[in-house]
Short mmCIF file of all heavy atoms in Angstrom, two decimals:
data_model
loop_
_atom_site.label_atom_id
_atom_site.label_comp_id
_atom_site.label_asym_id
_atom_site.label_seq_id
_atom_site.Cartn_x
_atom_site.Cartn_y
_atom_site.Cartn_z
N MET O 1 190.57 -162.91 145.36
CA MET O 1 190.16 -161.57 145.80
C MET O 1 189.40 -161.67 147.12
O MET O 1 189.67 -160.90 148.04
CB MET O 1 189.30 -160.93 144.72
CG MET O 1 188.77 -159.58 145.07
SD MET O 1 190.11 -158.39 145.02
CE MET O 1 189.23 -156.92 145.27
N ARG O 2 188.50 -162.64 147.25
CA ARG O 2 187.73 -162.79 148.47
C ARG O 2 188.63 -163.14 149.64
O ARG O 2 188.43 -162.66 150.76
CB ARG O 2 186.67 -163.89 148.31
CG ARG O 2 185.48 -163.48 147.52
CD ARG O 2 184.45 -164.56 147.51
NE ARG O 2 183.29 -164.17 146.77
CZ ARG O 2 182.31 -164.95 146.47
NH1 ARG O 2 182.34 -166.21 146.84
NH2 ARG O 2 181.28 -164.51 145.80
N ILE O 3 189.62 -163.98 149.40
CA ILE O 3 190.52 -164.39 150.46
C ILE O 3 191.32 -163.18 150.98
O ILE O 3 191.49 -162.99 152.17
CB ILE O 3 191.48 -165.47 149.98
CG1 ILE O 3 190.66 -166.76 149.69
CG2 ILE O 3 192.56 -165.77 151.00
CD1 ILE O 3 191.44 -167.87 149.04
N ALA O 4 191.76 -162.32 150.07
CA ALA O 4 192.51 -161.13 150.47
C ALA O 4 191.63 -160.18 151.31
O ALA O 4 192.08 -159.64 152.32
CB ALA O 4 193.04 -160.42 149.24
N VAL O 5 190.38 -160.04 150.90
CA VAL O 5 189.46 -159.16 151.66
C VAL O 5 189.18 -159.77 153.02
O VAL O 5 189.20 -159.05 154.03
CB VAL O 5 188.14 -158.96 150.87
CG1 VAL O 5 187.11 -158.27 151.71
CG2 VAL O 5 188.42 -158.19 149.59
N LEU O 6 188.96 -161.06 153.09
CA LEU O 6 188.72 -161.71 154.37
C LEU O 6 189.95 -161.62 155.29
O LEU O 6 189.83 -161.42 156.50
CB LEU O 6 188.32 -163.16 154.18
CG LEU O 6 186.91 -163.38 153.60
CD1 LEU O 6 186.67 -164.85 153.32
CD2 LEU O 6 185.85 -162.85 154.57
N LEU O 7 191.12 -161.79 154.70
CA LEU O 7 192.34 -161.69 155.48
C LEU O 7 192.55 -160.27 156.02
O LEU O 7 192.87 -160.09 157.20
CB LEU O 7 193.56 -162.10 154.63
CG LEU O 7 194.91 -162.08 155.32
CD1 LEU O 7 194.91 -163.03 156.51
CD2 LEU O 7 196.01 -162.44 154.35
N ALA O 8 192.32 -159.29 155.19
CA ALA O 8 192.46 -157.90 155.62
C ALA O 8 191.45 -157.57 156.72
O ALA O 8 191.77 -156.89 157.70
CB ALA O 8 192.30 -156.96 154.44
N LEU O 9 190.22 -158.04 156.55
CA LEU O 9 189.16 -157.80 157.53
C LEU O 9 189.52 -158.48 158.86
O LEU O 9 189.35 -157.89 159.92
CB LEU O 9 187.83 -158.28 157.01
CG LEU O 9 186.62 -158.04 157.91
CD1 LEU O 9 186.46 -156.55 158.16
CD2 LEU O 9 185.37 -158.62 157.27
N SER O 10 190.03 -159.69 158.79
CA SER O 10 190.42 -160.41 160.00
C SER O 10 191.53 -159.68 160.75
O SER O 10 191.50 -159.57 161.98
CB SER O 10 190.88 -161.83 159.65
OG SER O 10 189.82 -162.54 159.07
N LEU O 11 192.52 -159.20 160.02
CA LEU O 11 193.61 -158.46 160.64
C LEU O 11 193.13 -157.15 161.25
O LEU O 11 193.56 -156.78 162.35
CB LEU O 11 194.72 -158.21 159.63
CG LEU O 11 195.51 -159.45 159.19
CD1 LEU O 11 196.47 -159.07 158.08
CD2 LEU O 11 196.24 -160.07 160.37
N ALA O 12 192.21 -156.48 160.58
CA ALA O 12 191.70 -155.22 161.11
C ALA O 12 190.89 -155.43 162.39
O ALA O 12 190.95 -154.63 163.30
CB ALA O 12 190.83 -154.54 160.04
N LEU O 13 190.16 -156.53 162.45
CA LEU O 13 189.37 -156.82 163.65
C LEU O 13 190.24 -157.33 164.78
O LEU O 13 189.90 -157.16 165.95
CB LEU O 13 188.26 -157.81 163.32
CG LEU O 13 187.17 -157.30 162.40
CD1 LEU O 13 186.21 -158.41 162.03
CD2 LEU O 13 186.43 -156.12 162.99
N ALA O 14 191.36 -157.98 164.47
CA ALA O 14 192.22 -158.54 165.50
C ALA O 14 193.13 -157.48 166.10
O ALA O 14 193.60 -157.66 167.23
CB ALA O 14 193.05 -159.68 164.92
N ALA O 15 193.41 -156.41 165.42
CA ALA O 15 194.34 -155.39 165.91
C ALA O 15 193.94 -154.78 167.25
O ALA O 15 194.78 -154.65 168.15
CB ALA O 15 194.54 -154.30 164.84
N PRO O 16 192.69 -154.39 167.47
CA PRO O 16 192.32 -153.84 168.79
C PRO O 16 192.49 -154.85 169.91
O PRO O 16 192.87 -154.50 171.02
CB PRO O 16 190.85 -153.45 168.63
CG PRO O 16 190.65 -153.28 167.16
CD PRO O 16 191.59 -154.25 166.51
N ALA O 17 192.23 -156.13 169.63
CA ALA O 17 192.40 -157.16 170.66
C ALA O 17 193.87 -157.30 171.02
O ALA O 17 194.20 -157.52 172.20
CB ALA O 17 191.83 -158.48 170.17
N LEU O 18 194.77 -157.19 170.08
CA LEU O 18 196.18 -157.28 170.36
C LEU O 18 196.66 -156.08 171.16
O LEU O 18 197.49 -156.21 172.06
CB LEU O 18 196.99 -157.40 169.06
CG LEU O 18 196.75 -158.69 168.24
CD1 LEU O 18 197.46 -158.59 166.91
CD2 LEU O 18 197.17 -159.90 169.02
N ALA O 19 196.16 -154.91 170.86
CA ALA O 19 196.54 -153.71 171.55
C ALA O 19 196.01 -153.69 172.99
O ALA O 19 196.56 -153.04 173.88
CB ALA O 19 196.05 -152.48 170.80
N ALA O 20 194.92 -154.42 173.26
CA ALA O 20 194.32 -154.44 174.58
C ALA O 20 195.20 -155.15 175.60
O ALA O 20 195.00 -154.99 176.79
CB ALA O 20 192.96 -155.10 174.51
N ASP O 21 196.17 -155.94 175.17
CA ASP O 21 197.05 -156.68 176.09
C ASP O 21 198.31 -155.93 176.39
O ASP O 21 199.27 -156.49 176.90
CB ASP O 21 197.35 -158.06 175.52
CG ASP O 21 196.15 -158.97 175.55
OD1 ASP O 21 195.27 -158.76 176.40
OD2 ASP O 21 196.08 -159.91 174.75
N ASP O 22 198.39 -154.64 176.10
CA ASP O 22 199.56 -153.83 176.40
C ASP O 22 199.71 -153.70 177.91
O ASP O 22 198.81 -153.24 178.60
CB ASP O 22 199.39 -152.45 175.76
CG ASP O 22 200.60 -151.56 175.98
OD1 ASP O 22 201.64 -152.06 176.40
OD2 ASP O 22 200.48 -150.36 175.68
N PRO O 23 200.85 -154.12 178.48
CA PRO O 23 201.04 -154.09 179.93
C PRO O 23 200.94 -152.67 180.52
O PRO O 23 200.43 -152.50 181.62
CB PRO O 23 202.43 -154.65 180.15
CG PRO O 23 202.82 -155.31 178.88
CD PRO O 23 201.99 -154.72 177.79
N LYS O 24 201.42 -151.66 179.79
CA LYS O 24 201.32 -150.30 180.29
C LYS O 24 199.86 -149.85 180.37
O LYS O 24 199.45 -149.21 181.33
CB LYS O 24 202.14 -149.34 179.43
CG LYS O 24 203.61 -149.55 179.57
CD LYS O 24 204.51 -148.54 178.92
CE LYS O 24 204.01 -147.85 177.72
NZ LYS O 24 204.95 -146.94 177.10
N ALA O 25 199.08 -150.21 179.36
CA ALA O 25 197.67 -149.85 179.36
C ALA O 25 196.94 -150.57 180.50
O ALA O 25 196.11 -149.96 181.19
CB ALA O 25 197.02 -150.21 178.01
N ARG O 26 197.26 -151.84 180.73
CA ARG O 26 196.62 -152.58 181.80
C ARG O 26 196.99 -151.96 183.16
O ARG O 26 196.13 -151.83 184.04
CB ARG O 26 197.02 -154.05 181.78
CG ARG O 26 196.42 -154.86 182.90
CD ARG O 26 196.47 -156.33 182.65
NE ARG O 26 195.73 -156.72 181.46
CZ ARG O 26 194.41 -156.87 181.41
NH1 ARG O 26 193.69 -156.64 182.45
NH2 ARG O 26 193.83 -157.26 180.30
N ALA O 27 198.22 -151.53 183.34
CA ALA O 27 198.64 -150.90 184.59
C ALA O 27 197.86 -149.61 184.83
O ALA O 27 197.44 -149.34 185.97
CB ALA O 27 200.14 -150.65 184.59
N ILE O 28 197.65 -148.82 183.79
CA ILE O 28 196.88 -147.61 183.91
C ILE O 28 195.47 -147.91 184.30
O ILE O 28 194.87 -147.30 185.19
CB ILE O 28 196.94 -146.79 182.61
CG1 ILE O 28 198.35 -146.25 182.38
CG2 ILE O 28 195.93 -145.64 182.65
CD1 ILE O 28 198.57 -145.65 181.03
N MET O 29 194.87 -148.91 183.66
CA MET O 29 193.47 -149.28 183.96
C MET O 29 193.34 -149.75 185.41
O MET O 29 192.38 -149.42 186.09
CB MET O 29 192.98 -150.37 183.00
CG MET O 29 192.78 -149.89 181.60
SD MET O 29 192.00 -151.10 180.50
CE MET O 29 193.27 -152.33 180.41
N GLU O 30 194.32 -150.52 185.87
CA GLU O 30 194.24 -151.02 187.25
C GLU O 30 194.39 -149.88 188.25
O GLU O 30 193.71 -149.87 189.28
CB GLU O 30 195.31 -152.10 187.48
CG GLU O 30 194.98 -153.39 186.75
CD GLU O 30 196.09 -154.41 186.82
OE1 GLU O 30 197.19 -154.11 187.35
OE2 GLU O 30 195.87 -155.53 186.33
N LYS O 31 195.26 -148.90 187.96
CA LYS O 31 195.38 -147.74 188.87
C LYS O 31 194.10 -146.93 188.91
O LYS O 31 193.68 -146.47 189.97
CB LYS O 31 196.55 -146.85 188.41
CG LYS O 31 197.89 -147.45 188.74
CD LYS O 31 199.00 -146.50 188.29
CE LYS O 31 200.38 -147.10 188.56
NZ LYS O 31 201.46 -146.22 188.10
N VAL O 32 193.47 -146.75 187.77
CA VAL O 32 192.21 -145.99 187.73
C VAL O 32 191.13 -146.74 188.51
O VAL O 32 190.38 -146.14 189.27
CB VAL O 32 191.76 -145.74 186.27
CG1 VAL O 32 190.33 -145.23 186.21
CG2 VAL O 32 192.71 -144.77 185.59
N ASP O 33 191.08 -148.05 188.35
CA ASP O 33 190.05 -148.85 189.03
C ASP O 33 190.29 -148.87 190.55
O ASP O 33 189.34 -148.88 191.32
CB ASP O 33 190.05 -150.27 188.48
CG ASP O 33 188.89 -151.07 189.00
OD1 ASP O 33 187.74 -150.56 189.00
OD2 ASP O 33 189.09 -152.22 189.42
N ALA O 34 191.56 -148.82 190.97
CA ALA O 34 191.90 -148.96 192.39
C ALA O 34 191.82 -147.61 193.11
O ALA O 34 191.85 -147.59 194.36
CB ALA O 34 193.29 -149.54 192.54
N ARG O 35 191.72 -146.50 192.41
CA ARG O 35 191.72 -145.23 193.09
C ARG O 35 190.47 -145.03 193.93
O ARG O 35 189.40 -145.56 193.60
CB ARG O 35 191.88 -144.07 192.12
CG ARG O 35 190.63 -143.84 191.32
CD ARG O 35 190.68 -142.65 190.45
NE ARG O 35 189.33 -142.50 189.92
CZ ARG O 35 189.01 -141.97 188.81
NH1 ARG O 35 189.94 -141.45 188.06
NH2 ARG O 35 187.76 -141.88 188.40
N ASP O 36 190.59 -144.26 194.98
CA ASP O 36 189.46 -143.99 195.85
C ASP O 36 188.64 -142.85 195.22
O ASP O 36 189.12 -141.72 195.07
CB ASP O 36 189.95 -143.58 197.23
CG ASP O 36 188.81 -143.32 198.20
OD1 ASP O 36 187.69 -143.84 197.94
OD2 ASP O 36 189.02 -142.62 199.18
N ASP O 37 187.44 -143.15 194.85
CA ASP O 37 186.58 -142.14 194.24
C ASP O 37 185.47 -141.68 195.17
O ASP O 37 184.56 -140.99 194.76
CB ASP O 37 186.02 -142.62 192.90
CG ASP O 37 185.20 -143.89 193.05
OD1 ASP O 37 185.11 -144.42 194.18
OD2 ASP O 37 184.64 -144.36 192.06
N GLY O 38 185.59 -142.07 196.43
CA GLY O 38 184.61 -141.63 197.43
C GLY O 38 183.36 -142.48 197.45
O GLY O 38 183.16 -143.38 196.64
N ASP O 39 182.51 -142.18 198.43
CA ASP O 39 181.28 -142.93 198.59
C ASP O 39 180.06 -142.23 197.95
O ASP O 39 179.09 -142.87 197.59
CB ASP O 39 180.96 -143.15 200.07
CG ASP O 39 181.99 -144.01 200.73
OD1 ASP O 39 182.60 -144.88 200.05
OD2 ASP O 39 182.21 -143.86 201.94
N ASN O 40 180.16 -140.92 197.80
CA ASN O 40 179.05 -140.14 197.27
C ASN O 40 179.56 -139.15 196.26
O ASN O 40 180.72 -138.72 196.31
CB ASN O 40 178.37 -139.33 198.40
CG ASN O 40 177.86 -140.21 199.49
OD1 ASN O 40 177.19 -141.19 199.26
ND2 ASN O 40 178.19 -139.87 200.72
N ALA O 41 178.69 -138.78 195.34
CA ALA O 41 179.06 -137.75 194.37
C ALA O 41 177.79 -137.05 193.91
O ALA O 41 176.70 -137.68 193.85
CB ALA O 41 179.78 -138.36 193.18
N THR O 42 177.90 -135.79 193.64
CA THR O 42 176.81 -135.03 193.01
C THR O 42 177.39 -134.25 191.85
O THR O 42 178.53 -133.83 191.89
CB THR O 42 176.14 -134.05 194.01
OG1 THR O 42 177.15 -133.15 194.47
CG2 THR O 42 175.53 -134.76 195.18
N MET O 43 176.60 -134.15 190.81
CA MET O 43 177.03 -133.44 189.60
C MET O 43 175.91 -132.58 189.07
O MET O 43 174.76 -132.97 189.10
CB MET O 43 177.46 -134.44 188.54
CG MET O 43 178.71 -135.19 188.81
SD MET O 43 179.10 -136.32 187.49
CE MET O 43 178.89 -137.87 188.36
N ARG O 44 176.28 -131.42 188.57
CA ARG O 44 175.36 -130.55 187.86
C ARG O 44 175.94 -130.30 186.47
O ARG O 44 177.11 -129.95 186.34
CB ARG O 44 175.18 -129.22 188.58
CG ARG O 44 174.46 -129.39 189.89
CD ARG O 44 174.33 -128.06 190.58
NE ARG O 44 173.77 -128.30 191.90
CZ ARG O 44 172.98 -127.45 192.50
NH1 ARG O 44 172.66 -126.33 191.93
NH2 ARG O 44 172.52 -127.73 193.71
N THR O 45 175.14 -130.51 185.45
CA THR O 45 175.60 -130.38 184.09
C THR O 45 174.62 -129.51 183.31
O THR O 45 173.42 -129.59 183.51
CB THR O 45 175.69 -131.78 183.42
OG1 THR O 45 176.49 -132.64 184.23
CG2 THR O 45 176.28 -131.69 182.03
N GLU O 46 175.14 -128.72 182.43
CA GLU O 46 174.32 -127.94 181.51
C GLU O 46 174.62 -128.38 180.09
O GLU O 46 175.77 -128.46 179.68
CB GLU O 46 174.61 -126.45 181.65
CG GLU O 46 173.73 -125.60 180.76
CD GLU O 46 174.02 -124.12 180.94
OE1 GLU O 46 173.94 -123.65 182.09
OE2 GLU O 46 174.32 -123.46 179.94
N MET O 47 173.57 -128.74 179.37
CA MET O 47 173.71 -129.22 178.00
C MET O 47 172.99 -128.24 177.07
O MET O 47 171.82 -127.96 177.26
CB MET O 47 173.11 -130.63 177.86
CG MET O 47 173.19 -131.21 176.48
SD MET O 47 172.70 -132.96 176.38
CE MET O 47 171.26 -133.06 177.40
N THR O 48 173.69 -127.75 176.06
CA THR O 48 173.11 -126.85 175.08
C THR O 48 172.89 -127.62 173.80
O THR O 48 173.84 -128.15 173.21
CB THR O 48 174.01 -125.64 174.85
OG1 THR O 48 174.25 -125.00 176.10
CG2 THR O 48 173.40 -124.66 173.89
N LEU O 49 171.67 -127.66 173.34
CA LEU O 49 171.30 -128.37 172.09
C LEU O 49 170.98 -127.35 171.02
O LEU O 49 170.22 -126.42 171.24
CB LEU O 49 170.08 -129.27 172.33
CG LEU O 49 170.19 -130.25 173.49
CD1 LEU O 49 168.85 -130.86 173.80
CD2 LEU O 49 171.22 -131.32 173.17
N ILE O 50 171.59 -127.53 169.86
CA ILE O 50 171.36 -126.64 168.71
C ILE O 50 170.89 -127.49 167.54
O ILE O 50 171.62 -128.39 167.11
CB ILE O 50 172.65 -125.88 168.35
CG1 ILE O 50 173.18 -125.13 169.55
CG2 ILE O 50 172.38 -124.93 167.18
CD1 ILE O 50 174.54 -124.51 169.34
N ASP O 51 169.67 -127.23 167.06
CA ASP O 51 169.17 -128.04 165.96
C ASP O 51 169.64 -127.50 164.60
O ASP O 51 170.41 -126.52 164.55
CB ASP O 51 167.64 -128.16 166.03
CG ASP O 51 166.92 -126.85 165.75
OD1 ASP O 51 167.55 -125.89 165.26
OD2 ASP O 51 165.69 -126.79 165.97
N GLY O 52 169.21 -128.12 163.56
CA GLY O 52 169.66 -127.75 162.22
C GLY O 52 169.25 -126.36 161.79
O GLY O 52 169.85 -125.77 160.89
N HIS O 53 168.22 -125.83 162.43
CA HIS O 53 167.76 -124.47 162.08
C HIS O 53 168.41 -123.40 162.95
O HIS O 53 168.12 -122.21 162.81
CB HIS O 53 166.23 -124.39 162.23
CG HIS O 53 165.52 -125.37 161.38
ND1 HIS O 53 165.44 -125.27 160.00
CD2 HIS O 53 164.85 -126.52 161.70
CE1 HIS O 53 164.77 -126.28 159.53
NE2 HIS O 53 164.39 -127.06 160.53
N GLY O 54 169.27 -123.82 163.90
CA GLY O 54 169.94 -122.87 164.75
C GLY O 54 169.20 -122.57 166.06
O GLY O 54 169.67 -121.76 166.83
N ALA O 55 168.08 -123.22 166.30
CA ALA O 55 167.36 -123.02 167.55
C ALA O 55 168.13 -123.66 168.68
O ALA O 55 168.65 -124.77 168.57
CB ALA O 55 165.96 -123.64 167.45
N VAL O 56 168.24 -122.91 169.78
CA VAL O 56 169.02 -123.37 170.93
C VAL O 56 168.10 -123.75 172.07
O VAL O 56 167.17 -123.02 172.42
CB VAL O 56 169.99 -122.26 171.39
CG1 VAL O 56 170.75 -122.68 172.61
CG2 VAL O 56 170.94 -121.86 170.26
N ARG O 57 168.35 -124.92 172.67
CA ARG O 57 167.65 -125.36 173.86
C ARG O 57 168.69 -125.72 174.90
O ARG O 57 169.72 -126.28 174.58
CB ARG O 57 166.79 -126.61 173.58
CG ARG O 57 165.64 -126.32 172.61
CD ARG O 57 164.85 -127.57 172.35
NE ARG O 57 165.69 -128.51 171.60
CZ ARG O 57 165.46 -129.79 171.47
NH1 ARG O 57 164.45 -130.36 172.09
NH2 ARG O 57 166.24 -130.57 170.79
N THR O 58 168.40 -125.41 176.15
CA THR O 58 169.35 -125.71 177.21
C THR O 58 168.70 -126.69 178.19
O THR O 58 167.52 -126.52 178.56
CB THR O 58 169.74 -124.43 177.97
OG1 THR O 58 170.30 -123.52 177.02
CG2 THR O 58 170.77 -124.71 179.04
N ARG O 59 169.44 -127.70 178.60
CA ARG O 59 168.97 -128.67 179.56
C ARG O 59 169.89 -128.62 180.77
O ARG O 59 171.12 -128.60 180.63
CB ARG O 59 169.00 -130.10 178.98
CG ARG O 59 168.10 -130.29 177.76
CD ARG O 59 166.64 -130.27 178.17
NE ARG O 59 165.77 -130.54 177.08
CZ ARG O 59 165.11 -129.63 176.38
NH1 ARG O 59 165.24 -128.36 176.68
NH2 ARG O 59 164.31 -129.96 175.40
N HIS O 60 169.31 -128.64 181.95
CA HIS O 60 170.09 -128.65 183.20
C HIS O 60 169.88 -130.04 183.80
O HIS O 60 168.75 -130.46 184.01
CB HIS O 60 169.62 -127.57 184.14
CG HIS O 60 169.83 -126.19 183.59
ND1 HIS O 60 171.02 -125.54 183.67
CD2 HIS O 60 169.00 -125.38 182.92
CE1 HIS O 60 170.95 -124.39 183.09
NE2 HIS O 60 169.70 -124.24 182.60
N LEU O 61 170.97 -130.73 184.10
CA LEU O 61 170.90 -132.07 184.64
C LEU O 61 171.54 -132.10 186.02
O LEU O 61 172.54 -131.43 186.26
CB LEU O 61 171.66 -133.05 183.72
CG LEU O 61 171.28 -133.01 182.26
CD1 LEU O 61 172.30 -133.72 181.43
CD2 LEU O 61 169.91 -133.62 182.06
N LYS O 62 170.95 -132.87 186.91
CA LYS O 62 171.52 -133.12 188.23
C LYS O 62 171.67 -134.63 188.39
O LYS O 62 170.77 -135.40 188.00
CB LYS O 62 170.63 -132.58 189.34
CG LYS O 62 170.51 -131.10 189.38
CD LYS O 62 169.64 -130.65 190.50
CE LYS O 62 169.45 -129.14 190.48
NZ LYS O 62 168.54 -128.69 191.54
N GLN O 63 172.79 -135.04 188.96
CA GLN O 63 173.04 -136.47 189.13
C GLN O 63 173.58 -136.72 190.53
O GLN O 63 174.45 -135.98 191.00
CB GLN O 63 174.04 -136.97 188.09
CG GLN O 63 174.33 -138.43 188.14
CD GLN O 63 175.27 -138.88 187.03
OE1 GLN O 63 175.81 -138.07 186.31
NE2 GLN O 63 175.46 -140.16 186.92
N TRP O 64 173.06 -137.72 191.20
CA TRP O 64 173.51 -138.12 192.51
C TRP O 64 173.99 -139.56 192.42
O TRP O 64 173.33 -140.43 191.82
CB TRP O 64 172.37 -138.05 193.54
CG TRP O 64 171.87 -136.66 193.79
CD1 TRP O 64 172.32 -135.80 194.72
CD2 TRP O 64 170.82 -136.00 193.09
NE1 TRP O 64 171.63 -134.61 194.66
CE2 TRP O 64 170.71 -134.71 193.66
CE3 TRP O 64 170.00 -136.32 192.02
CZ2 TRP O 64 169.78 -133.79 193.21
CZ3 TRP O 64 169.08 -135.41 191.60
CH2 TRP O 64 168.98 -134.16 192.20
N ILE O 65 175.14 -139.85 193.03
CA ILE O 65 175.70 -141.19 193.02
C ILE O 65 175.97 -141.61 194.45
O ILE O 65 176.53 -140.87 195.24
CB ILE O 65 177.02 -141.23 192.22
CG1 ILE O 65 176.78 -140.85 190.78
CG2 ILE O 65 177.66 -142.63 192.30
CD1 ILE O 65 178.04 -140.66 189.97
N LYS O 66 175.57 -142.83 194.77
CA LYS O 66 175.82 -143.40 196.10
C LYS O 66 176.46 -144.77 195.91
O LYS O 66 175.95 -145.63 195.18
CB LYS O 66 174.51 -143.54 196.87
CG LYS O 66 174.61 -144.24 198.21
CD LYS O 66 175.30 -143.35 199.20
CE LYS O 66 175.30 -144.02 200.56
NZ LYS O 66 176.16 -143.33 201.51
N ASP O 67 177.62 -144.98 196.56
CA ASP O 67 178.32 -146.28 196.46
C ASP O 67 177.91 -147.11 197.65
O ASP O 67 178.19 -146.77 198.80
CB ASP O 67 179.84 -146.04 196.44
CG ASP O 67 180.60 -147.33 196.22
OD1 ASP O 67 179.99 -148.35 195.96
OD2 ASP O 67 181.85 -147.29 196.31
N PHE O 68 177.24 -148.23 197.37
CA PHE O 68 176.79 -149.13 198.44
C PHE O 68 177.74 -150.29 198.63
O PHE O 68 177.45 -151.21 199.36
CB PHE O 68 175.39 -149.66 198.13
CG PHE O 68 174.36 -148.59 198.18
CD1 PHE O 68 173.84 -148.02 197.03
CD2 PHE O 68 173.86 -148.12 199.39
CE1 PHE O 68 172.88 -147.04 197.05
CE2 PHE O 68 172.91 -147.14 199.44
CZ PHE O 68 172.41 -146.61 198.29
N GLY O 69 178.91 -150.28 197.97
CA GLY O 69 179.90 -151.34 198.12
C GLY O 69 179.69 -152.45 197.08
O GLY O 69 178.92 -152.30 196.14
N PRO O 70 180.38 -153.57 197.30
CA PRO O 70 180.29 -154.65 196.29
C PRO O 70 178.98 -155.28 196.21
O PRO O 70 178.06 -155.56 196.25
CB PRO O 70 181.29 -155.69 196.72
CG PRO O 70 181.96 -155.20 197.95
CD PRO O 70 181.32 -153.91 198.33
#
C-alpha cells in the first residue's frame, strides 16, 4: 500500500515538470520575454476589500516602474 501511494505521489509531482518542457509553451514564454515592454510604466489600481461582515474598504494604489537595463 505504501509503495502504491509513493508511486502515485511521485507521478503527481513529476507531471508538472514534464509539461514544462512543451516546445510550444517554451516558444510562448520566449516571445513574452523578448517583447518590448518599454523603459517606464505607471499604474493606478483600485482594490475593494470586503470583510466577513460586509464592510467595504477601498484602497488606491500607484506604482511606478523604471527599467535600468541588465
Side-chain angles (χ1 to χ4, degrees):
M1 178 73 173
R2 284 185 179 173
I3 293 173
V5 171
L6 288 174
L7 181 60
L9 183 60
S10 297
L11 290 174
L13 292 175
L18 295 173
D21 288 336
D22 182 11
K24 291 189 330 184
R26 179 162 299 279
I28 292 170
M29 289 187 294
E30 288 173 356
K31 285 181 182 178
V32 168
D33 189 46
R35 74 173 187 208
D36 182 22
D37 58 358
D39 295 331
N40 302 311
T42 59
M43 290 180 246
R44 292 179 187 214
T45 306
E46 182 178 305
M47 179 172 42
T48 303
L49 306 168
I50 304 171
D51 68 12
H53 303 289
V56 177
R57 294 179 292 162
T58 303
R59 299 289 185 259
H60 298 277
L61 308 165
K62 293 181 183 177
Q63 183 177 7
W64 295 269
I65 298 172
K66 175 72 175 169
D67 185 6
F68 293 102

